[in-house]
Amino acid sequence: MDTALLVSGLVFSAVGIGYLVYGRRQSNMAARWSGFALILYPYLMTNVYTMIAVGVGLMLVPRFVDL
């Protein structure tokens, strides 16, 4: 289960870097903060299913929130 935790953390952090870069270039604060959160939150998670749920939720924030 530790391998799944590491791989999912790597995937969500990579997506977070993409969101952060996109948010900076487009001046989109929701994408920027979601990217920042996606980069940092895997350090706090100990359960794979919780990590996936939080990650998907953070990835959907820029879609529904306009800052």
Side-chain angles (χ1 to χ4, degrees):
M1 206 54 129
D2 291 331
T3 305
L5 194 64
L6 288 172
V7 170
S8 59
L10 177 68
V11 169
F12 285 121
S13 293
V15 171
I17 290 170
Y19 271 40
L20 187 64
V21 170
Y22 173 78
R24 287 178 119 183
R25 289 187 179 170
Q26 298 296 320
S27 298
N28 186 342
M29 292 300 288
R32 187 183 299 179
W33 284 107
S34 291
F36 187 68
L38 280 166
I39 292 169
L40 293 179
Y41 93 95
Y43 293 108
L44 304 174
M45 295 291 147
T46 57
N47 187 355
V48 176
Y49 301 115
T50 307
M51 178 180 284
I52 292 171
V54 171
V56 169
L58 285 172
M59 287 170 46
L60 290 175
V61 166
R63 174 86 172 146
F64 298 108
V65 175
D66 188 30
L67 295 178

